[in-house]
Amino acid sequence: MGQEGACILPTIEGARHHFDELEKKLIGSLVSEKLGGVLRELSAKALYIVDLVVRNLYERTADVAFLATDREISRYMAQSDASNTDDQRIRDRLHAYQRKYTVYDSIALLAPDGRLKAGVSRSGALPEACTDAFVGRALEQDGYVEAFAHSTLQPWKQESLIYCHRIMD
């Protein structure tokens, strides 16, 4: 190898080194750009899901408040001894509500002592009484009580999301 080869070799090695550095920067930039796009997409989806859950929970609380202020239900709950006709009319009303808002597996109307006055369920027979603590808590406040736990209202489930609201006059 001559003098020309000795001069060209360091130049080629330098160019190769610069090319390798440029390649690393380009790959890093592409990865960073792709990752940023994926993170933006995931962030948008996560915000959508959170919004959906919040709206869904808000709607459930509004539904519970609506049922708690329903005049027919309030009159029925105020009766100490309802007739079979009244019982069927209220069950029909609860079934209609359940059909319209399909998120409800069960709707139960409980007396202050936890005794089931009327109810509908898609998954199994409702118990004659509920011994869950949230019933008492719901009676003590104006708003609703929310519980996510095992409940005597749905003993066949490990956990249930339950909203409880006292009937408003």
Side-chain angles (χ1 to χ4, degrees):
M1 175 157 52
Q3 205 167 354
E4 289 176 356
C7 290
I8 293 176
L9 195 57
T11 303
I12 292 174
E13 285 179 4
R16 180 176 201 90
H17 174 73
H18 288 303
F19 181 75
D20 288 345
E21 289 299 314
L22 180 60
E23 182 181 38
K24 286 178 187 176
K25 286 180 182 178
L26 286 172
I27 289 172
S29 179
L30 287 171
V31 167
S32 180
E33 186 177 316
K34 187 68 171 173
L35 182 61
V38 168
L39 290 176
R40 281 188 298 277
E41 184 179 330
L42 288 176
S43 178
K45 287 179 181 179
L47 288 173
Y48 174 77
I49 290 169
V50 167
D51 183 54
L52 185 68
V53 169
V54 167
R55 279 187 289 129
N56 213 322
L57 292 175
Y58 176 77
E59 289 172 12
R60 299 304 69 85
T61 60
D63 292 344
V64 170
F66 172 78
L67 286 172
T69 57
D70 180 281
R71 286 190 177 152
E72 282 191 52
I73 292 174
S74 293
R75 276 194 293 272
Y76 175 80
M77 293 302 288
Q79 297 173 358
S80 58
D81 56 342
S83 69
N84 286 342
T85 305
D86 292 335
D87 290 345
Q88 188 57 51
R89 192 179 78 250
I90 289 298
R91 276 195 302 278
D92 290 345
R93 189 169 187 81
L94 296 177
H95 270 297
Y97 199 81
Q98 189 181 40
R99 278 191 304 275
K100 186 174 182 180
Y101 300 98
T102 59
V103 297
Y104 299 110
D105 184 54
S106 302
I107 302 173
L109 301 177
L110 303 173
D113 64 1
R115 183 177 36 85
L116 179 71
K117 286 193 74 169
V120 294
S121 178
R122 290 188 182 107
S123 298
L126 291 170
E128 292 182 21
C130 175
T131 58
D132 298 333
F134 62 79
V135 174
R137 287 196 319 269
L139 291 171
E140 296 169 359
Q141 63 188 49
D142 287 335
Y144 68 95
V145 171
E146 179 182 350
F148 182 69
H150 181 266
S151 172
T152 58
L153 285 172
Q154 294 185 317
W156 57 87
K157 287 187 170 185
Q158 186 174 357
E159 294 175 315
S160 299
L161 179 58
I162 297 180
Y163 291 90
C164 189
H165 201 303
R166 72 180 165 87
I167 297 296
M168 308 298 283
D169 298 336

